[in-house]
Each structure stands twice: as structure tokens, then as C-alpha cells.
Amino acid sequence: MITITINDTVMHFETAPGLFSPRGLDAGTRVMLEHIAFQPQDKVLDLGCGYGVVGIYAAKQIGAEQVTMIDINPSAVSAASHNAKINHLPELRILQSDGFRALDDTGYTLILSNPPYNSNFSTAKHFIEKGFNRLQIGGRMVMVTKRKTWYQNKLAAIFGGVTIHEENGYYLFIAEKRKPTYANKA
């Protein structure tokens, strides 16, 4: 069991080998969560939830009914469900999905992700392009990575702009959906 505290919110997690950052909170995830101000009306998607830190933290800020968590890995979904119960959020919605493939919901105000790194950026491309379509106008996609250029270019092409904050070797990207179509249509 590990204990994680973010902005005075204390949470407990059981993890396992094979899950992302099983020994403690990833530094990039901490950067992301310490810079997000949740609003009571937010509808949040934790995209690639792992064992549940981001979604559980969001649910503790704005309520479990406002948060959905998804991950492709069945072990991660199981761990996140267990951790939701440990943190007194048994009603938290957690689904197994390969990106957005098993999730039809739209109207999110906030999509949060620390995307998996792969050399061809296929997962990140899916997250950004399909995530845009799941946000309401004014909604924001927030991603944290160790790579800058590709994410900056892709988010700017889809959203029309992106704000970047650099901290501890991580880049925090915040892109707001301002119109219903991609900024740079293919």
C-alpha cells in the first residue's frame, strides 16, 4: 500500500508490478495534478487511468459522479476499481477501453492524461484526435509528457493552440476546444 498526498488530499493505493509507476506517484502526474483547478461543474475523463491516481484525486475534488476513468489494461482497471473502494469512492465509473473505442460519452470539460510513450505516437495521436471530439466547447485536454515538439505540434494542429508549462523535466500541455472542428483540417 502506498499513500499519496496532493494539495492536502491524502489517498491510498494498492499497486502491482506491471502497472505504471507501481512504487509511487509518477513525477509527471504530480506536476499535472498540482496545476489543475477543478470546478464543481467539471465532467472529467481520466484517459489511461492506470491504478487510479488521477481519477480518484479528481473525484475527491468534485465528486465521483463527475468522473470517468478508462484504461486498456484489465489489471489497471481492476486495481483502479479496488483503489476507488479503498478511497471511499465505490461508485466511481471505471471502464476497460482501448482509448475511446468502448466509450461513447461526450461533453467532457476536462480530459487528463499521462499518455504511454511509444516511438510512433499512435496512442497519443488517438488520444488527442478522438479526445477533441469528446470535449465540449471550452473543454480542455491536459497532457503531461517528457517530450515536447511532437505534442506541441499535434495539439496545436488539432486545437488551434496549446499552452505549455515545463517543470522538473516534464511538459504540461493544456489545449482548449474553441470550435467544433479541428483547427487544421486534413
Side-chain angles (χ1 to χ4, degrees):
M1 174 95 55
I2 59 173
T3 300
I4 296 172
T5 303
I6 302 168
N7 298 329
D8 298 325
T9 298
V10 179
M11 301 166 290
H12 306 285
F13 298 91
E14 289 185 7
T15 70
L19 297 178
F20 176 67
S21 194
R23 291 187 298 269
L25 182 61
D26 169 70
T29 301
R30 179 174 293 282
V31 166
M32 179 172 64
L33 292 177
E34 287 180 346
H35 287 87
I36 296 300
F38 293 97
Q39 302 302 316
Q41 72 279 5
D42 276 336
K43 180 179 177 184
V44 175
L45 176 63
D46 177 0
L47 179 56
C49 68
Y51 57 83
V53 175
V54 172
I56 289 169
Y57 178 73
K60 288 197 165 278
Q61 307 311 303
I62 61 172
E65 66 282 355
Q66 300 295 106
V67 178
T68 300
M69 300 163 61
I70 61 176
D71 201 290
I72 190 173
N73 182 341
S75 297
V77 171
S78 177
S81 297
H82 179 70
N83 287 326
K85 292 177 182 83
I86 290 173
N87 286 283
H88 311 291
L89 298 163
E91 67 283 8
L92 197 49
R93 183 176 179 219
I94 305 166
L95 307 170
Q96 183 179 346
S97 181
D98 181 1
F100 291 97
R101 290 173 180 91
L103 181 71
D104 292 329
D105 296 358
T106 61
Y108 288 100
T109 60
L110 200 52
I111 296 176
L112 304 172
S113 186
N114 185 344
Y117 303 133
N118 54 35
S119 60
N120 68 4
F121 297 99
S122 60
T123 301
K125 181 178 186 278
H126 172 80
F127 282 12
I128 293 166
E129 290 176 355
K130 301 303 180 189
F132 178 90
N133 297 324
R134 303 309 176 94
L135 288 165
Q136 68 181 26
I137 299 294
R140 296 172 293 150
M141 175 165 276
V142 179
M143 298 183 118
V144 63
T145 75
K146 284 193 166 241
R147 296 178 175 179
K148 181 180 180 183
T149 305
W150 186 91
Y151 287 91
Q152 179 179 7
N153 292 340
K154 185 64 175 178
L155 286 161
I158 298 300
F159 286 86
V162 60
T163 301
I164 304 168
H165 174 78
E166 184 179 356
E167 186 174 319
N168 296 331
Y170 288 90
Y171 298 99
L172 180 67
F173 301 92
I174 303 172
E176 182 179 330
K177 182 175 181 175
R178 296 183 179 157
K179 59 183 191 171
T181 58
Y182 291 170
N184 188 10
K185 295 181 194 171

